[in-house]
Amino acid sequence: MGHVTRRAFAAAALSALAMSGEAAAAPGRAGQRPRGQDARDPAPYIPEAEGSGQTPQTTAAGKPGEAAAAAEMRGMWLATVVNRDWPSRAGLSADRQRAELLAHLDQAVRSRLNTVIFQVRPAADALWPSPYEPWSQYLTGTQGKDPGWDPLGTAVAEAHARGLELHAWFNPLRVATHGDLSRLVASHPARTHPEWVVRYAGKLYYNPGLPEVRSFVQTAMLDAVRKYRVDAVHFDDYFYPYPVAGETFDDDAAYARYGGGFATRADWRRDNIDRLVRDMGAGIKKARPGTRFGISPFGVWRNASTDPLGSDTRALQAYDDLYADTRKWVRERWVDYICPQLYWHIGFAAADYARLVPWWAQVAQGSGTRLYIGEALYRAGSPSQPAPWQDPAELSRHLTLARDHPQVKGHVFFAAKEVATDPVGAMARVIADHYGQPANPAS
């Protein structure tokens, strides 16, 4: 997908919908979402016995409100698509790749985080020896080439040894960040089943309107769940692709065959994604009871101008534009946690962080689904961002605001590279103000 940043995608998506800059920024996780390029995204065998999964116990509170944080999510995304965070480039030796991976885990511990969300299936590929899909090109530079070690198995073992949870992050439907099937390894399922694939805006996607596609991608992902003691399965924000002006997602044949019972194509598409989410959750519980399922969607479900149940925002809408009924997934408890990407600053007119947090808190209230907030660390200090993001205290203010909403059980930062480099000290400020003591995962 070339090195498209989440920022770039977000801007393109928003402009396509005639919306203002930051409002669409959520699409940046992977060549198409607001986190720096796919890279959440959104956004991931070995003997399954490594590690206890236990984290250090929280000690006495160091700051007001910290005593209540004895169990909370403190996570970071570790993105592999286009080598966003790891490995630093394709083709490194196995020893160098492993050393870089362990350095990220060590940094998470130093930053008093307790969870790493590791992208192990960035594009219909695998960072473990999968019998269903090829080794990821982001390891060796060549899709299908064995890197000589097991990144997911190592990550599970080494995260647990450090008291970290390891959530395996999968992009369920992206096939490639380019539009050429012939560039995929010959044995790739997308080449053996080209009827499963839709080209859209220069990229390749599996068509979620086909039952056989939904079945296959679940089988491929559940292979990792069965083989590794991952603490959770994590989806990012990519379902149907973010809209691009002038482009059409060609699912006419699938709609003609399967959409007869629906009033509109949009309703049928949402049902396809609902089925994928609901069935994946059930499959996880069957494959490895106790493993959780979480999704990190675009931060706006619907705008209040469209639906009175929506948020006071003017942005791209997951329900209408990505066919992702994220509010329903929470209320139906098809997911164990939801982590909306609230990648906007406090006071941003089109999508104000201070208005979205209480909206999501109300959605989560009484649902049994845990609410974590996705934070745009990648924006802090970026020269392309407006003044609020140049203030190292902006993210700390986010955590302070969220503390007033007990439904918020923690935060996840995009992404690992910025946790390590922390260009303007925004992460250091979060740690100083909020993470004075270790915390147990909010599981």
Side-chain angles (χ1 to χ4, degrees), residues 32 156 186 202 264:
Q32 310 55 265
V156 170
T264 67

Short mmCIF file of all heavy atoms in Angstrom, two decimals, residues 32 156 186 202 264:
data_model
loop_
_atom_site.label_atom_id
_atom_site.label_comp_id
_atom_site.label_asym_id
_atom_site.label_seq_id
_atom_site.Cartn_x
_atom_site.Cartn_y
_atom_site.Cartn_z
N GLN A 32 -4.43 3.57 5.34
CA GLN A 32 -5.80 4.01 5.15
C GLN A 32 -6.43 4.35 6.45
O GLN A 32 -7.55 4.15 6.63
CB GLN A 32 -6.63 2.92 4.56
CG GLN A 32 -6.10 2.27 3.37
CD GLN A 32 -4.80 1.71 3.39
OE1 GLN A 32 -3.90 2.33 3.01
NE2 GLN A 32 -4.65 0.53 3.78
N VAL A 156 4.52 -13.68 22.28
CA VAL A 156 3.69 -14.17 23.38
C VAL A 156 4.57 -14.54 24.57
O VAL A 156 4.32 -14.12 25.71
CB VAL A 156 2.85 -15.38 22.92
CG1 VAL A 156 2.18 -16.06 24.12
CG2 VAL A 156 1.80 -14.95 21.91
N ALA A 186 2.35 -17.23 -5.54
CA ALA A 186 1.45 -18.06 -6.36
C ALA A 186 0.47 -18.86 -5.54
O ALA A 186 -0.66 -19.12 -5.98
CB ALA A 186 2.28 -18.98 -7.25
N GLY A 202 -6.89 1.12 -5.90
CA GLY A 202 -5.52 0.67 -6.04
C GLY A 202 -5.07 -0.35 -5.03
O GLY A 202 -3.87 -0.61 -4.91
N THR A 264 -31.73 -2.45 1.54
CA THR A 264 -30.71 -1.68 0.82
C THR A 264 -29.40 -2.44 0.82
O THR A 264 -29.17 -3.34 1.65
CB THR A 264 -30.47 -0.31 1.48
OG1 THR A 264 -29.87 -0.52 2.77
CG2 THR A 264 -31.76 0.48 1.63
#
